[in-house]
């Protein structure tokens, strides 16, 4: 099993503050001989007419020497997990959780914005110290 990101608990508590029930920690996806581990699975009961909304969240801290390199790795994981989810749990929507400092520095640049748009990356922007969700970007 992979190590949890340094901000794992902060994102988990931030989701719970917004009314999400953490259903999987981690969310394991088996695919033939391969096993993938998305950081969190969560669901939220919405109004009766909307049913249950389910998400999976991959949490990244972006604390390496290069935010762009960290993004390359995170994007690769995100795309693989999204494919696995589409085949195993198609009702679950995958989000990439990024700290607000990274969102402001990396995701404000042209390449990252185009990449997020091209690959349809859904983002959760979180503040790790106050453990709150700052923005949902679908």
């Amino acid at each position: 099993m992979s190590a949890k990101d340094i901000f794992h608990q902060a994102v988990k508590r931030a989701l719970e503050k917004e009314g999400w029930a953490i259903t999987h920690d981690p969310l394991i996806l088996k695919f033939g001989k391969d096993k993938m581990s998305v950081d969190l699975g969560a669901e939220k009961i919405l109004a009766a007419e909307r049913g249950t909304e389910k998400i999976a969240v991959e949490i990244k801290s972006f604390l390496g020497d290069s935010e762009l390199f960290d993004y390359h790795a995170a994007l690769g994981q995100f795309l693989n997990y999204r494919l696995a989810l589409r085949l195993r749990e198609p009702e679950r929507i995958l989000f990439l959780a990024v700290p607000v400092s990274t969102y402001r520095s990396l995701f404000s640049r042209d390449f990252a914005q185009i990449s997020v748009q091209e690959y349809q990356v859904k983002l959760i922007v979180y503040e790790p110290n106050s453990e709150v969700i700052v923005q949902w970007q679908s």
Side-chain angles (χ1 to χ4, degrees):
M1 184 173 298
S2 61
K4 291 183 178 177
D5 187 89
I6 189 170
F7 297 135
H8 184 95
Q9 292 302 323
V11 173
K12 184 176 175 179
R13 283 191 279 273
L15 288 168
E16 290 170 336
K17 286 179 183 176
E18 292 208 357
W20 289 91
I22 305 301
T23 57
H24 300 80
D25 184 8
L27 173 63
I28 304 294
L29 300 169
K30 293 183 180 172
F31 208 85
K33 292 182 178 179
D34 297 312
K35 186 170 88 174
M36 299 176 200
S37 176
V38 183
D39 288 324
L40 294 174
E43 64 183 44
K44 187 174 190 177
I45 305 299
L46 303 175
E49 58 270 15
R50 290 187 64 191
T52 302
E53 187 175 357
K54 293 183 177 181
I55 62 172
V57 181
E58 181 60 19
I59 302 164
K60 293 298 174 197
S61 60
F62 291 85
L63 296 175
D65 292 336
S66 167
E67 287 180 326
L68 189 57
F69 181 82
D70 289 348
Y71 177 61
H72 289 312
L75 179 61
Q77 276 187 306
F78 180 88
L79 294 175
N80 285 334
Y81 294 168
R82 186 171 64 191
L83 175 60
L85 280 170
R86 186 179 325 141
L87 298 171
R88 295 291 185 235
E89 294 194 39
E91 72 283 1
R92 199 175 290 276
I93 299 169
L94 180 62
F95 284 85
L96 178 65
V98 300
V100 67
S101 59
T102 300
Y103 182 78
R104 289 180 181 144
S105 62
L106 177 66
F107 290 92
S108 64
R109 301 195 310 242
D110 291 344
F111 181 79
Q113 288 181 359
I114 292 168
S115 174
V116 165
Q117 185 176 17
E118 175 69 21
Y119 298 112
Q120 301 173 5
V121 179
K122 299 180 184 315
L123 297 174
I124 294 174
V125 182
Y126 64 93
E127 169 49 59
N129 295 324
S130 56
E131 300 179 341
V132 295
I133 305 295
V134 175
Q135 179 180 342
W136 293 79
Q137 183 176 321
S138 296

